């Protein structure tokens, strides 16, 4: 098996039974804030553009690069699709022209003409853009696990897949915390230090647990080339910086007695067989040119990319949208359905859309479930964001503001009290479908499942498909319950799903229910 590293989480895997292109990312992401580090400008794109298979682990834009996929990749590629509850990834890829899909089931191996693959799908609201995944590949001789950003909680399916020869995984931060917060500097340093250590410790733990023959740091860190953000780069191995590079993690592994870590840079080729790994870099001094004077390397990279950053910034809309009224019309109907989210936030969030001429301050009130012009009410969280970015999210009707705006790190935040997961999850579920899914998820985390009466039956409240609230979305006719969210149907007497073969509805005749039910 031969693996060409493409930068960030990008891999081009070649085997005797076909090639797999994984997470190719070549265009700046998140409002031109993230760039692949090291640069992958010199990767031979033609050589990777006609894969047999395409795997996009999830929709974050450092993994899903629609411009590259749309313009460069042969649409005959067969897409290896993770088992996500909502099919946004499939929809996006279909919109780009891909038509051939292998729909995997979570943690179940699939045979594909000599290749055996398995995708571990993670589907909590906190997993990436509601859905993150890792790919295991077995070509009959060599086994690889491309974990990238995902954090599998059950390693048994991976162990059952067999011993891995190669393990690719994320080891650095990929988030805005704590840099964007207005914490006192000393506190920020401490939090950053802890985060840096925790990220690498978790990656090391995964590497130890899986015990692959060779470990390859991948999936980050990005670099920040906009002068506004350049300070986020880890130039001098600052122990409080959350973006340590590959060399730092490999040293950590070596210091712990793990000498099986291998460095790859974009264009490096790793030939992996059971018990051996030979790495060829794209030039004799290619590694040195990046890491021996990282600041000079990044400054030169920055010079090449400044025109692209300027071009992107010029395209952001400004003063074209009334932010308060747009968000009110969009979000208030969602707030009305967001019982658990509202209870979880239990406060207000201020979106301070700043602008040198005219900003707008919007309060999202999770107590009264309204969106309005801010009148000075106390707020639990405050986000200060250039109004152009807020307008861009509104103009595109982004249903997930994390996957562009928050990951851009182009904002400042303050909060009154501890971290609240519900606040960020709210910004990922800005459609009825996504919201219902998150609400259902929270509901299932709660106590015993709630039952609701329907047509003489007590029925589980959350739809087995994507967890819509059946008290709101369910209708019964002739003993068949239809969920109006996506139209799935269930036979009330048996619980059998009439739409899909792998879900069941829990239902019991109301007059047979006992005190133990509900
Ligand atoms: S949530 Fe999709 S049919 Fe119910």
């Amino acid at each position: 098996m031969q693996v060409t590293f493409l930068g960030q989480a990008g891999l081009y895997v070649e085997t005797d039974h076909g090639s797999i292109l994984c997470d190719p990312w070549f265009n700046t992401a998140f409002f031109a804030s993230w760039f692949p580090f090291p640069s992958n400008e010199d990767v031979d794109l033609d050589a990777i553009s006609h894969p047999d298979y395409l795997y996009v682990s999830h929709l974050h834009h450092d993994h899903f690069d629609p411009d590259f996929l749309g313009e460069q990749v042969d649409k005959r590629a067969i897409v290896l699709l993770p088992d996500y509850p909502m099919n946004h990834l499939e929809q996006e890829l279909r919109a780009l022209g891909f038509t051939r899909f292998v729909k995997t089931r979570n943690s179940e191996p699939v045979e594909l003409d000599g290749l055996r693959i398995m995708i571990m799908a993670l589907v909590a609201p906190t997993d990436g853009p509601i859905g993150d995944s890792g790919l295991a590949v077995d070509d009959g001789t060599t086994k690889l696990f491309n974990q990238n950003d995902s954090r599998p909680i059950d390693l048994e399916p991976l162990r059952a897949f067999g011993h891995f020869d190669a393990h690719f995984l994320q080891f650095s931060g990929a988030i805005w915390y704590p840099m964007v917060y207005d914490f006192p500097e000393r506190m920020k340093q401490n939090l950053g230090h802890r985060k840096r250590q925790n990220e690498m410790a978790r990656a090391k733990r995964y590497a130890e647990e899986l015990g692959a023959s060779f470990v390859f740091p991948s999936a980050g860190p990005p670099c920040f080339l906009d002068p506004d953000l350049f300070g986020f780069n880890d130039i001098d191995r600052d122990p409080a910086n959350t973006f340590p590079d590959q060399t730092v993690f490999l040293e950590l592994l070596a210091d712990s007695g793990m000498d099986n870590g291998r460095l790859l840079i974009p264009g490096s080729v790793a030939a992996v067989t059971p018990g051996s790994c030979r790495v060829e870099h794209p030039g004799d001094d290619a590694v040195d040119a990046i890491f021996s004077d990282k600041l000079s390397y990044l400054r030169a990279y920055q010079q090449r990319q400044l025109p692209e950053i300027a071009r992107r910034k010029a395209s952001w809309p400004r003063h074209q949208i009334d932010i308060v009224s747009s968000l009110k019309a969009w979000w208030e109907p969602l707030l009305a359905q967001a019982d658990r989210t509202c209870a979880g936030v239990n406060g207000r969030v201020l979106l301070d859309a700043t602008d040198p001429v005219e900003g707008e301050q919007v309060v999202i009130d999770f107590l009264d479930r309204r969106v309005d012009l801010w009148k000075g009410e106390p707020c639990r969280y405050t986000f200060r964001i250039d109004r152009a970015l807020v307008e861009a999210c509104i103009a595109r009707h982004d249903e997930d503001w994390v996957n562009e705006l928050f990951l851009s790190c182009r904002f400042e935040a303050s909060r009154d009290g501890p971290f609240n997961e519900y606040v960020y999850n709210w910004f990922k579920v800005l459609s009825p479908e996504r919201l219902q899914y998150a609400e259902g998820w929270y509901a299932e985390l709660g106590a015993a499942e709630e039952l609701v009466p329907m047509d003489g039956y007590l029925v589980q409240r959350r739809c087995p498909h994507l967890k819509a609230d059946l008290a709101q979305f369910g209708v019964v006719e002739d003993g068949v319950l239809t969920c109006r969210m996506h139209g799935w149907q269930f036979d009330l007497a048996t619980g059998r799903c009439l739409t899909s073969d792998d879900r069941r509805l829990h239902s019991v005749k109301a007059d047979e229910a006992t005190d133990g039910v509900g």
Side-chain angles (χ1 to χ4, degrees), residues 239-275:
N241 186 296
T242 58
F243 299 106
D245 67 36
Q246 296 80 342
T247 61
V248 178
F249 180 61
L250 288 169
E251 279 173 25
L252 175 91
L253 291 186
D255 289 347
S256 321
M258 295 174 72
D259 60 2
N260 59 339
R262 294 291 182 273
L263 175 68
L264 299 179
I265 60 174
S268 298
V269 178
V272 185
T273 56

Side-chain angles (χ1 to χ4, degrees), residues 433 436 462-470 473 482-490:
E433 183 189 35
Q436 285 292 318
R462 292 286 164 180
C463 177
H465 178 219
L466 290 185
K467 306 184 196 306
D469 185 349
L470 290 171
F473 291 92
T482 302
C483 171
R484 287 174 294 188
M485 179 58 82
H486 306 99
W488 282 34
Q489 294 191 306
F490 303 87

Side-chain angles (χ1 to χ4, degrees), residues 16-17 22 34 131 208 214 288 294 308 311 352 386-387 397 403 441 451 493:
D16 289 343
H17 305 287
C22 306
W34 287 36
E208 288 167 343
F214 298 97
D288 259 11
K294 193 168 164 185
E308 178 61 10
R311 188 184 71 77
D352 184 359
D386 181 347
R387 74 169 291 149
H397 203 77
N403 187 12
W441 186 272
L451 300 182

Side-chain angles (χ1 to χ4, degrees), residues 320-354:
Q320 294 172 21
I321 287 175
D322 179 336
I323 294 174
V324 176
S325 63
S326 303
L327 292 183
K328 190 177 184 64
W330 178 3
W331 290 359
E332 281 192 351
L334 295 174
L335 286 169
Q337 295 179 18
D339 292 1
R340 285 182 165 79
T341 302
C342 289
V345 177
N346 193 28
R348 302 178 194 89
V349 172
L350 172 61
L351 201 58
D352 184 359
T354 61

